């Protein structure tokens, strides 16, 4: 689903994962495995990941997948969204700074992933799911639900994402 190089596949609703921090991959696999993520009936992609996570029988299995994905060179997926205003998005991104940082590299201390270099369609889908309360019941999902709620509409989401797409992929690669 995520592709041989972890580049993602929009048709499979699978985001680019190559080069994400092993701590983040572990946490998300554990969230899927426990049902804290991927169990909402409107989360089609999550519903696909939940059974996949059940094949990971031990913590060592999760650790091995996380190490493998983290070691993949990050990819920069081609943008597919249109109509975002990066200048307006930079203003709206101010609420994201605390967790994701000015360069979008994330912060393991607060369990926020790297978003610079992410698939734009996946960022939009995630923001929509967080705002609607569809994505996850784990603690950072609750925080993201509130943050996504500060974006009044899909245009604001596209604006923030247009800004995120301007962030340096080179900088994003170093925050594992």
């Amino acid at each position: 689903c995520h592709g041989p190089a972890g580049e993602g596949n929009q048709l499979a609703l699978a985001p680019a994962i190559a080069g994400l921090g092993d701590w983040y991959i572990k946490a998300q696999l554990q969230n899927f495995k426990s049902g804290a993520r991927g169990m909402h009936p409107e989360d089609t992609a999550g519903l696909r990941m939940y059974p996949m996570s059940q094949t990971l029988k031990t913590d060592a299995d999760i650790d091995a997948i996380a190490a493998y994905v983290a070691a993949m060179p990050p990819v920069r997926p081609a943008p597919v969204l249109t109509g975002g205003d990066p200048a307006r998005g930079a203003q709206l991104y101010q609420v994201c700074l605390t967790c994701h940082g000015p360069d979008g590299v994330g912060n393991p201390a607060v369990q926020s992933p790297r978003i610079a270099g992410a698939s734009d369609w996946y960022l939009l889908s995630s923001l929509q799911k967080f705002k609607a309360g569809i994505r996850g019941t784990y603690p950072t999902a609750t925080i993201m639900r509130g943050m996504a709620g500060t974006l009044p509409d899909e245009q604001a989401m596209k604006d923030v994402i247009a800004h995120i797409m301007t962030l340096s992929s080179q900088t994003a690669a170093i925050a594992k």
Side-chain angles (χ1 to χ4, degrees), residues 15-33:
I17 57 173
L20 284 172
D22 65 341
W23 60 270
Y24 182 72
I25 297 293
K26 286 179 193 180
Q28 294 310 304
L29 287 172
Q30 290 165 345
N31 286 334
F32 280 117
K33 192 167 174 60

Side-chain angles (χ1 to χ4, degrees), residues 4 7 103 108 149:
E7 71 276 13
D103 294 323

Side-chain angles (χ1 to χ4, degrees), residues 5-7 17-20 68-76 114 173 176:
E7 71 276 13
I17 57 173
L20 284 172
Y68 180 79
V69 170
M72 293 174 145
V75 296
R76 184 120 177 146
R114 170 179 52 86
K176 286 191 177 187

Side-chain angles (χ1 to χ4, degrees), residues 53-74:
S53 70
Q54 299 308 301
T55 67
L56 304 172
K57 299 299 181 196
T58 67
D59 288 341
D61 293 339
I62 290 174
D63 290 346
I65 295 286
Y68 180 79
V69 170
M72 293 174 145

